[in-house]
């Protein structure tokens, strides 16, 4: 439980920094997040046993998706037209990736 609280605070911190630094000073933010999301869909989790790997993979996946959620939510709250345009372009790039994750998750169910 304690590490979940830390993960939430780290996610919120990343989102706040992204609000100020993206895209000007942190261009690699979304390529990095997209790469990590690709690891979720490819099933690379790691761990000692298959059960531990699934649990570790689920925890990592949830945390990565929560970071993305926080960053998107923070960037969506920007009001300036230039920031909104950047967010719209970013959304168009992220939609296929998120759709693929949703599709993969629905096939597993």
């Amino acid at each position: 439980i304690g590490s979940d609280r830390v993960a939430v605070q780290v996610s919120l911190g990343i989102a706040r920094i992204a609000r100020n630094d993206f895209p000007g000073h942190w261009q690699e933010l979304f390529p990095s997040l997209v790469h990590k999301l690709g690891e979720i869909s490819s099933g690379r989790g790691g761990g000692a046993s298959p059960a531990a790997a699934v649990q570790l993979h689920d925890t990592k996946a949830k945390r990565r998706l929560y970071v993305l959620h926080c960053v998107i939510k923070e960037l969506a709250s920007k009001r300036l037209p230039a920031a909104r345009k950047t967010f719209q372009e970013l959304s168009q790039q992220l939609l296929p990736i998120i759709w693929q994750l949703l599709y993969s998750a629905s096939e597993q169910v």
Side-chain angles (χ1 to χ4, degrees):
I1 293 177
S3 63
D4 288 338
R5 290 180 183 167
V6 171
V8 167
Q9 294 303 313
V10 168
S11 298
L12 294 171
I14 290 171
R16 286 292 182 163
I17 294 169
R19 180 180 176 91
N20 293 319
D21 288 355
F22 179 79
H25 300 290
W26 199 4
Q27 295 92 3
E28 66 275 0
L29 171 65
F30 279 96
S32 176
L33 286 174
V34 167
H35 175 72
K36 293 297 182 181
L37 290 175
E39 291 178 4
I40 293 171
S41 62
S42 69
R44 288 181 265 157
S49 67
V54 169
Q55 185 177 8
L56 178 64
H57 179 70
D58 287 345
T59 301
K60 284 184 178 182
K62 288 176 188 174
R63 288 180 179 171
R64 289 172 182 171
L65 288 170
Y66 189 70
V67 168
L68 181 64
H69 165 77
C70 290
V71 169
I72 288 173
K73 189 174 178 182
E74 195 70 36
L75 293 178
S77 69
K78 286 184 155 185
R79 302 264 185 227
L80 295 176
R84 287 191 176 266
K85 183 179 179 191
T86 301
F87 181 72
Q88 181 183 11
E89 292 167 359
L90 177 69
S91 299
Q92 291 173 351
Q93 295 171 9
L94 285 176
L95 186 61
I97 296 161
I98 294 171
W99 179 257
Q100 181 60 39
L101 286 173
L102 181 62
Y103 181 78
S104 298
S106 67
E107 282 187 337
Q108 293 175 359
V109 175

